[in-house]
Amino acid sequence: MITERDTEHIGQLADIAIHREELAAFTSRFNEILEYFDLLDQVEVVESIEGRECNVFREDEVIPSLSQQDALANTREKEEGFFRAPRVM
Amino acid sequence: MPGFTVSFHPEDRFFAFLRTVGEISCREGRLSGIPVAVKDNISTAGIETTCASRILEGYIPPYDATVVERLKNEGAAIAGKTNMDEFGMGTTTENSAFGPTRNPVDPSRVPGGSSGGSAAAIAAGLVPLALGTDTGGSIRCPAAFCGIVGLKPTYGRVSRYGLIAYANSLEQIGPMAANVTDANLLMGVIAGHDPRDSTSLDFPYLHTPDPEIRGMRIGVPEEFFGEGVDPRVASVVWEGISLLERKGAEIVTCRMPSMAYALAAYYVTCTSEASSNLARFDGVRYGPPADTKKTWHESFQERRRDGFGEEVRRRIMLGTFTLSSGYYGKYYAKAQAARNQVRADFERLFREVDVLAGPTMPTVAFKFGEKSDPLSMYLSDILTVPANLAGVPAISVPCGRVEGLPVGLQIMGRWMEDERVVDVGYAFEQGVSR
């Protein structure tokens, strides 16, 4: 059972703020969904069958890429060819 | 190569498009001048691409997705970007930040989702071809609800380069059209190997639909007609399956026990992947800017609270929780085990039958607001998610109506046998039109 405090904590981990007035609804929805996920408790984890996924490697070659101008085209916060981000410290 | 210009000014009464391109320059090719609608989570150079989210408002991709490049090389006119559930998260297109698309068959109902805009654009006759994406049914659901054809290709058959990722291990771009022949044509253009997508496979799609299905074995899993499936929908789909039998196919009823866990496995997997994929939306590189005066976390959290809709925030947080230390074993690991059971079920069944058939959706199109709680919305994806979990191809073709509303017949096939599901869909379509 998830509490409103847990929901706030998950929001912090996910870097998503939650308005106080949304907290109760988010929490009750989470609990309904997680209760449904409890179905998975019945699944036995056995040695997995062979998947088709495999790592795909390629040569580390320099190929044409985005120009600095294109890379910065979608931000309003830029300075001397760099992205300007909020302060970390 | 000589080019020409196509004008595209549709009367979009159902809000299928988020934006259209009025005058489009094209070249000669297999799709010369044919307007193609592109779902708004597929990158189009120079055309705003938002995933129907406020967090990407104003974002103009600097490059084309591989599928768009392939369309342009064949002369297609990229006509506009279609509405969708925000980041593909939804089954109705009601989760678009810019308002819902309406179903052209009955405007009081949803077109399905998440590729609802693409399906509505075709159903309304605005374009003959559209691209959708399918993570857990997002091509097949709106195809079924709007009475058109939609194909989710085998995972890896169509490049995902330039698709704004939501759940990488599940999603595929695929064709949507009014009929199987057109969907097949579009598939032929977009499929093929792409070194820029490391999951891309080298299986070109060069196919002409063949309606001959005599002797083909069609499995019908009982679970596809189980709890939650509207009996009227079940009856229409059974009639469709009988038509295939009359055309010479052998119908074999079978069981798919992993269906019991498929939906939970799907939602744990897709939300986990979403929590990682959507971490990139921080207001620094694209979208409305973050407040750089505040601290990193404060600014990031506020930007994401205001930029993402409720369902997107819910899924990111669910995925963050199911991957968190202490819960990973209970949710994510179990979901992967269940996913393997789904794959194993398909492999076992495909040793006995050539394709599987059943309804695409358990019901006809919902009324707006009908699925107001998220869990009941999730449950409506039960029949489409198995194909995504296993990576196998699946098509939805229109197969009749219930009270005037379209019903889709879903055909799922073996890994890399997209051609065969297209053939069965084509055989069905030919049978109906005679």
Side-chain angles (χ1 to χ4, degrees):
Chain A
M1 187 76 175
I2 296 236
T3 63
E4 290 189 11
R5 272 190 71 170
D6 295 330
T7 305
E8 263 186 317
H9 178 62
I10 299 163
Q12 297 247 322
L13 290 175
D15 263 324
I16 290 180
I18 304 168
H19 290 293
R20 274 235 71 84
E21 60 273 20
E22 298 176 308
L23 209 48
F26 261 108
T27 306
S28 79
R29 298 299 197 209
F30 277 146
N31 281 313
E32 283 165 31
I33 295 163
L34 292 174
E35 199 177 312
Y36 180 75
F37 287 173
D38 283 344
L39 260 178
L40 294 170
D41 287 345
Q42 300 162 30
V43 177
E44 261 184 72
V45 178
V46 286
E47 204 54 31
S48 70
I49 60 165
E50 197 64 24
R52 292 194 184 87
E53 299 80 8
C54 58
N55 285 320
V56 177
F57 298 103
R58 59 172 167 75
E59 291 306 312
D60 189 15
E61 287 166 10
V62 178
I63 52 171
S65 165
L66 282 187
S67 66
Q68 191 180 39
Q69 193 187 359
D70 282 347
L72 288 166
N74 278 289
T75 186
R76 267 176 262 171
E77 297 286 342
K78 55 192 155 193
E79 203 174 305
E80 294 172 22
F82 291 95
F83 292 103
R84 193 163 60 206
R87 40 195 183 87
V88 177
M89 303 288 284
Chain B
M1 196 178 290
F4 59 97
T5 302
V6 169
S7 295
F8 185 71
H9 302 281
E11 194 191 329
D12 185 9
R13 293 186 294 137
F14 307 102
F15 194 43
F17 284 95
L18 290 172
R19 64 203 69 84
T20 53
V21 181
E23 308 300 319
I24 314 151
S25 25
C26 312
R27 58 167 80 172
E28 298 295 337
R30 276 189 285 172
L31 300 179
S32 276
I34 297 177
V36 180
V38 176
K39 189 176 179 181
D40 203 35
N41 57 351
I42 299 172
S43 303
T44 41
I47 307 173
E48 189 184 359
T49 298
T50 65
C51 296
S53 181
R54 297 259 175 234
I55 210 152
L56 272 175
E57 233 175 341
Y59 171 64
I60 314 242
Y63 64 94
D64 276 325
T66 298
V67 289
V68 172
E69 212 172 75
R70 284 173 161 271
L71 283 171
K72 286 181 173 173
N73 286 342
E74 288 295 348
I78 306 301
K81 306 302 292 287
T82 52
N83 200 11
M84 56 185 282
D85 287 295
E86 187 177 359
F87 285 100
M89 298 181 186
T91 311
T92 63
T93 317
E94 290 170 292
N95 290 339
S96 166
F98 307 112
T101 297
R102 287 178 298 136
N103 190 325
V105 180
D106 175 352
S108 72
R109 291 178 187 265
V110 302
S114 65
S115 312
S118 290
I122 290 166
L126 307 181
V127 286
L129 302 172
L131 292 182
T133 64
D134 192 312
T135 309
S138 285
I139 286 176
R140 290 161 287 158
C141 159
F145 281 4
C146 292
I148 64 151
V149 174
L151 170 68
K152 182 206 89 73
T154 296
Y155 185 79
R157 195 120 194 216
V158 177
S159 168
R160 291 182 296 108
Y161 179 78
L163 163 63
I164 299 175
Y166 147 34
N168 322 51
S169 80
L170 298 158
E171 61 205 358
Q172 271 291 281
I173 298 171
M176 302 174 83
N179 57 61
V180 175
T181 307
D182 287 355
N184 181 73
L185 170 69
L186 184 52
M187 177 66 180
V189 171
I190 61 173
H193 182 241
D194 178 12
R196 293 176 296 186
D197 170 0
S198 66
T199 59
S200 167
L201 298 162
D202 195 3
F203 284 85
Y205 184 90
L206 308 160
H207 184 60
T208 305
D210 176 1
E212 181 53 79
I213 56 165
R214 257 178 296 185
M216 194 180 283
R217 286 170 66 83
I218 300 180
V220 181
E222 281 174 27
E223 290 79 1
F224 274 72
F225 292 88
E227 197 189 335
V229 178
D230 182 334
R232 299 169 305 169
V233 168
S235 154
V236 166
V237 171
W238 266 118
E239 280 172 37
I241 292 170
S242 313
L243 187 151
L244 294 172
E245 190 172 27
R246 289 198 297 281
K247 288 185 66 94
E250 185 186 346
I251 306 302
V252 183
T253 53
C254 53
R255 296 295 310 271
M256 200 167 167
S258 61
M259 284 286 281
Y261 312 116
L263 192 81
Y266 169 78
Y267 271 96
V268 169
T269 306
C270 76
T271 55
S272 297
E273 293 185 20
S275 72
S276 167
N277 274 321
L278 274 65
R280 75 190 65 173
F281 300 106
D282 55 10
V284 173
R285 288 153 299 164
Y286 25 67
D291 184 348
T292 53
K293 304 281 183 306
K294 293 185 173 165
T295 63
W296 176 265
H297 283 289
E298 198 184 349
S299 143
F300 197 22
Q301 289 184 8
E302 285 179 9
R303 184 81 282 283
R304 287 156 65 81
R305 178 193 63 204
D306 300 338
F308 288 135
E310 184 184 326
E311 183 58 27
V312 176
R313 286 191 290 153
R314 177 169 16 259
R315 292 197 194 188
I316 293 173
M317 287 195 279
L318 269 173
T320 303
F321 178 69
T322 53
L323 285 179
S324 63
S325 142
Y327 292 99
Y328 172 89
K330 177 173 165 59
Y331 296 111
Y332 191 77
K334 291 276 190 179
Q336 299 325 299
R339 184 173 187 174
N340 277 338
Q341 290 187 11
V342 173
R343 284 182 180 143
D345 264 356
F346 272 115
E347 283 179 18
R348 173 179 57 79
L349 289 170
F350 284 139
R351 282 196 289 271
E352 293 157 25
V353 298
D354 298 303
V355 294
L356 293 167
T360 305
M361 293 298 288
T363 65
V364 291
F366 324 126
K367 286 205 168 286
F368 285 101
E370 188 179 323
K371 299 278 174 187
S372 53
D373 77 287
L375 184 58
S376 75
M377 181 87 87
Y378 298 175
L379 290 169
S380 60
D381 297 338
I382 181 67
L383 305 179
T384 47
V385 297
N388 301 82
L389 288 168
V392 298
I395 195 169
S396 179
V397 292
C399 92
R401 296 197 173 209
V402 167
E403 290 180 6
L405 298 167
V407 170
L409 167 68
Q410 180 177 209
I411 312 287
M412 291 159 280
R414 294 186 188 105
W415 187 75
M416 282 299 158
E417 291 193 354
D418 305 65
E419 290 84 348
R420 197 187 293 261
V421 301
V422 164
D423 285 348
V424 178
Y426 185 61
F428 181 78
E429 192 180 79
Q430 296 295 301
V432 171
S433 60
R434 285 221 172 107

